[in-house]
Amino acid sequence: MSIVTVQLGQCGNQTGHEVFSALCSDIRGTHGLCSKKENESYQDSSKERFFCQEESAVPVARAVLVDMEPKVISQTLSMAARSGHWKYSSHSHFCQKQGSGNNWANGYSVHGPRHKEAIMNLVQKEAEKCDRLGGFLTIMSMAGGTGSGLGAFVTQCLRDAFPASFILNHLIWPYGTGEVIVQNYNSVLTLSHLYHSSDALLVHENDVIHKICAQLMNIKQISFRDVNRVIAHQLGSVFQPTHTAGGGSGYSRNPLGDLMEALVPHPEFRMLGLRNIPQMPESCLAYSAFSWPGLVKHLRQMLIARAQMEEGIDWQVRPPQPGSSIPSSNKALNFNTSIANLVILRGKDVHTVDLGSFQDPSLYTSWLSPQDAFNAWKTPRAFNKYEKSATLVSNSQFLLKPLDSIVGKAWNMFASKAYLHQYTKFGIQEEDFLDCFTTLEQVISSYTNL
Amino acid sequence: AVSLPFAVGQCGNQVGCRFWDLALREHAALNKKGIYDEALSSFFRNVDTRSGDNGPDIYRGKICSLKARALLIDMEEGVVNELLQGPLRDVFDSKQLITDVSGSGNNWAVGHKIYGCQYREKILEKLRKTAEHCDCLQCFFIIHSMGGGTGSGLGTFVLNLLEEEFPEVYRFVTSVYPSGEDDVITSPYNSVLAMKELNEHADCVLPIENESLFEIVNKIHQMINSGKLGSVVKQNSLLTSSAGSAKTLQEKPFDAMNNIVANLLLNLTSSARFEGSLNMDLNEISMNLVPFPRLHYLVSSLTPLYTLADVNVPSRRLDQMFSDAFSRDHQLIQADPKHSLYLACALLVRGNVQVSDLRRNIERLKPSLHFVSWNQEGWKTGLCSVPPVGHSHSLLALANNTCVKPTFTELKDRFMKLYKKKAHLHHYLQIDGMEQSSFSEAISSLSDLIEEYNELDATKGGPRIDPSRLKIAV
């Protein structure tokens, strides 16, 4: 089953390129550490999922590139082509000259309707190239104008045109101390709109990834390319083929559907956080050995304590014991309650791993049984040169604090009416903002009261 | 996307001249293959001149003849003629020029009312023609001075015209404000009358003061002469004339100062023209730096200073570049942003600088800066991979900051000194369309603006009370 990726805006296109690059590199890698048969099965499945194999040439990414200015797409296309191992189709991109000016309203209300037909035609063509369409992945940032505004509009169009398909929005949250001054407005508008049309929002925060680059990857002068590469690795660790629990011997045929089923039991709760361990510079990989029990223990504590990475985890945080006297406010402050979790394990000896600790009922709300709230996908095929790799995709309070922070800052700015004239100019009124704030306060409240 | 500059008046055209020279040099240094590319197209057309000046535009392929996208307007011929006889003569053709002979007599009303009316159709016609050649017009630049008659009066007339004719295209204005010692006695009148137009019709204004440019030029001189920098001064540089012979600062003082303004425009548009990991387009500058329509005056600084001169310098500490951007003596107007209130700040970096360098410096400098309560963490940042020619990196900082207020209050004071005595007023009032109310409305507009800055300043250092959040039913 194939996934069509829509890359939107500068961030979406720059990140998307790294994602396909990582996927291709992983497919071609000789570090499978598993049987030849397993490896071939994995490679075929991955290629089917993300690439279209044209007769003579290199694999072509199943992607549509959209931007309102030409420079990034031009760079992205040529970088891919230069790799010699994969490329984008030369007919699968749409760009304009003007940009969206970091203005969500411009992206959503002006560029969206104006270019809807052209963009959806490209999406339709990509969808038709798939034997079986598994759904859509959009890659975009929330901070700017195109990824955020046009991205929200395109998501709606996807929903309208493909009502039976899964839509997963991969969202990149900007650095807290500003890349764009109106980023909190753009974020609030994006999140609230996506909540109505997307199936799930899979989030990466630049601040978190930056820390990983600095402290785990030991990169001195961190560039956006470094950040995007870590993001690509983490996404790859989710979307490369795996065996699901009840899925029989072959690789899962419906990755997006499986993801939704595992993680989104209720439409009010769509925000998914992502953690992947271990992370280290490639040069260190050969010298590191990890044990599965160690990785599982760390990942679980990262979940419970809302840790951003595997260093600096707060081991004091514990799930509430049944019948304990810990007041519920304490629980809300420190302990991360989950609705559902998905752990994906890749590499050597995965069949030996005991994930019982993730099925501890105290980790979860009471709505689902722990058996339903927790899912595990595995494959013995190692990913991206990591002998062992463990990923957690979590529908929990992971993103509660960052979300609350964004909404708080946006509200603060909104109360002073700063920059509103820039949005009303393109048709987004104060009432529209209020609707968005209401939607998000509701989401925050829902997650807070888990 | 195309940016279309209008150089109006003597100052505007002198700056314009430096701008085109630097733009050509920048593109020549980068465009080794002589192919007409997207970057070039923002400022230049590629014309097939083999059969004469009226040849068609060539949109791709090899460069044939580059023509600047611009309109040059002056009511005196001196500056424009010099341009047409100099090394840039092939970059312009007569269709882009609007000139007259008698000048505006340092009278805003002559520039705005008389010449405005007289040349309106001609300007419109040439504007439309020029716009036709642009496949995507994003922004107009007006380059002028405030203190005289043509740049000030006719320049703001053009501003009005642009708004009427192309309301969706952004209007950026680079305005050189007169100093207290300006030898044009009526410069306060001209400036205040022009300010009203800028208040009402510009999207963004970058005010410049000659005193600041002069001080910066002196600083560069000192740096070079003290031997701290490498001692090689390049040909055709800031400090030499384009004919290659060295001229001292005294002989052509404005050339060096105009170069700084030209560099400002070059850097402002660099991220729109060249690639980078975090692009910053001109419409983004307006979006992020103008929180309320009338507060659109941006204080700018360019660092390191040696990037404004053609000297070979060993690479200096990157972080120093960021620190300097906030210091008083690097601003292009007499202002101290560190001790005033920021509404918004943009940093556009060129060269080998990555996001971690940006963040480290923002974290480092933030505590010493005062930001308005509703924009505590509001920074707009851009990373352009292409540095200025011959240098490894540079930074342009744009601040929407209340430190711009003293420039306006001093202007108002100088205006009132003249106005109270009704000095020279008759030169204006005798012009058709000018009345007493033209003056009272203008000063009122300026006073209102100053008042808005006062109100903001009053919030500085006050207690921070975040508004309570929206309550929803659980």
Side-chain angles (χ1 to χ4, degrees), chain A residues 38-57:
Chain A
E38 183 81 53
N39 194 25
E40 279 171 7
S41 180
Y42 178 90
Q43 289 172 328
D44 288 341
S45 179
S46 176
K47 272 192 224 159
E48 170 77 35
R49 205 174 271 193
F50 297 107
F51 297 92
C52 191
Q53 189 75 48
E54 267 143 44
E55 269 79 41
S56 51

Side-chain angles (χ1 to χ4, degrees), chain B residues 244-302:
Chain B
S245 65
K247 283 207 165 99
T248 64
L249 190 64
Q250 283 67 42
E251 289 174 54
K252 270 209 156 202
F254 288 107
D255 253 8
M257 290 157 65
N258 292 336
N259 249 36
I260 297 174
V261 184
N263 270 299
L264 171 64
L265 293 174
L266 225 52
N267 286 332
L268 193 62
T269 57
S270 60
S271 184
R273 291 176 291 137
F274 304 118
E275 45 95 13
S277 65
L278 189 57
N279 295 341
M280 189 195 295
D281 218 334
L282 292 163
N283 49 8
E284 294 172 30
I285 292 173
S286 171
M287 175 70 182
N288 284 284
L289 293 174
V290 183
F292 299 100
R294 298 215 327 153
L295 298 177
H296 56 247
Y297 293 87
L298 307 179
V299 180
S300 50
S301 66
L302 295 164

Side-chain angles (χ1 to χ4, degrees), chain A residues 343-382:
Chain A
V343 168
I344 305 169
L345 303 176
R346 301 175 182 276
K348 193 168 172 210
D349 300 329
V350 277
H351 57 280
T352 66
V353 184
D354 175 10
L355 288 168
S357 59
F358 272 94
Q359 286 180 304
D360 179 355
S362 63
L363 264 51
Y364 299 95
T365 61
S366 53
W367 320 333
L368 299 171
S369 70
Q371 288 74 34
D372 290 332
F374 177 69
N375 280 273
W377 300 351
K378 302 178 190 178
T379 171
R381 206 279 192 176

Side-chain angles (χ1 to χ4, degrees), chain B residues 6-10 12 73-75 104 106-117 119-120 123 127 140-165 171-178 187-206 296-297 411 428 434 438 442 445:
Chain B
F6 290 73
V8 189
Q10 178 178 16
I73 303 174
D74 203 355
M75 296 295 100
S104 305
N106 288 324
N107 187 327
W108 183 92
V110 172
H112 197 95
K113 304 284 187 188
I114 295 184
Y115 285 124
C117 186
Y119 284 100
R120 186 177 197 279
I123 295 172
L127 166 62
F140 295 117
F141 280 103
I142 292 183
I143 312 167
H144 73 150
S145 74
M146 299 283 276
T150 303
S152 179
L154 188 54
T156 50
F157 179 85
V158 169
L159 179 63
N160 269 276
L161 210 58
L162 292 175
E163 185 173 25
E164 270 174 44
E165 192 70 8
R171 296 173 293 282
F172 274 75
V173 188
T174 307
S175 307
V176 180
Y177 281 67
S187 66
Y189 283 161
N190 297 329
S191 301
V192 172
L193 288 164
M195 270 295 282
K196 175 166 181 288
E197 307 301 314
L198 294 184
N199 281 344
E200 291 172 16
H201 305 290
D203 286 309
C204 256
V205 179
L206 301 163
H296 56 247
Y297 293 87
L411 185 60
Y428 294 80
M434 289 297 288
S438 315
S445 176

Side-chain angles (χ1 to χ4, degrees), chain A residues 10 69 71 75 98 101-102 175 177 179-181 207 221-223 404 409 411-412 416 419 421-422 441, chain B residues 136 138 271-272 275-277 279 283 286-288 290-291 354 356-357 359 374 377 380-381 467-469:
Chain A
Q10 175 165 26
E69 64 117 331
K71 300 195 295 291
Q75 254 204 312
Q98 274 259 31
N102 287 165
Y175 289 97
T177 52
E179 301 169 22
V180 169
I181 293 175
D207 280 304
Q221 195 189 26
I222 301 165
S223 66
D404 188 66
K409 288 189 220 172
W411 183 250
N412 195 11
S416 72
Y419 299 101
H421 71 284
Q422 307 271 17
E441 293 287 6
Chain B
C136 176
Q138 183 177 64
S271 184
E275 45 95 13
S277 65
N279 295 341
N283 49 8
S286 171
M287 175 70 182
N288 284 284
V290 183
Q354 301 300 340
S356 56
D357 301 311
R359 298 184 48 66
W374 42 260
E377 279 148 338
K380 167 66 182 160
T381 54
S468 34
R469 295 270 289 272

Side-chain angles (χ1 to χ4, degrees), chain B residues 82-257:
Chain B
E82 211 183 296
L83 187 107
L84 294 179
Q85 282 152 26
L88 290 176
R89 60 181 167 274
D90 292 325
V91 173
F92 297 98
D93 64 50
S94 57
K95 298 199 261 340
Q96 298 170 267
L97 312 176
I98 297 171
T99 55
D100 203 309
V101 293
S102 2
S104 305
N106 288 324
N107 187 327
W108 183 92
V110 172
H112 197 95
K113 304 284 187 188
I114 295 184
Y115 285 124
C117 186
Q118 187 175 337
Y119 284 100
R120 186 177 197 279
E121 285 317 308
K122 203 169 180 198
I123 295 172
L124 263 180
E125 183 208 314
K126 291 185 189 256
L127 166 62
R128 285 177 189 144
K129 224 25 245 237
T130 313
E132 260 170 45
H133 289 294
C134 309
D135 64 2
C136 176
L137 186 54
Q138 183 177 64
C139 151
F140 295 117
F141 280 103
I142 292 183
I143 312 167
H144 73 150
S145 74
M146 299 283 276
T150 303
S152 179
L154 188 54
T156 50
F157 179 85
V158 169
L159 179 63
N160 269 276
L161 210 58
L162 292 175
E163 185 173 25
E164 270 174 44
E165 192 70 8
F166 295 92
E168 287 125 31
V169 180
Y170 287 93
R171 296 173 293 282
F172 274 75
V173 188
T174 307
S175 307
V176 180
Y177 281 67
S179 70
E181 298 87 43
D182 198 274
D183 51 6
V184 175
I185 300 178
T186 51
S187 66
Y189 283 161
N190 297 329
S191 301
V192 172
L193 288 164
M195 270 295 282
K196 175 166 181 288
E197 307 301 314
L198 294 184
N199 281 344
E200 291 172 16
H201 305 290
D203 286 309
C204 256
V205 179
L206 301 163
I208 316 270
E209 285 179 303
N210 275 340
E211 287 151 276
S212 300
L213 297 179
F214 192 74
E215 281 164 17
I216 289 171
V217 170
N218 276 334
K219 273 191 91 151
I220 297 174
H221 249 289
Q222 278 168 30
M223 276 162 76
I224 294 170
N225 292 334
S226 75
K228 277 192 185 159
L229 302 180
S231 54
V232 179
V233 175
K234 294 184 190 163
Q235 290 286 14
N236 289 332
S237 83
L238 177 61
L239 301 169
T240 69
S241 75
S242 53
S245 65
K247 283 207 165 99
T248 64
L249 190 64
Q250 283 67 42
E251 289 174 54
K252 270 209 156 202
F254 288 107
D255 253 8
M257 290 157 65

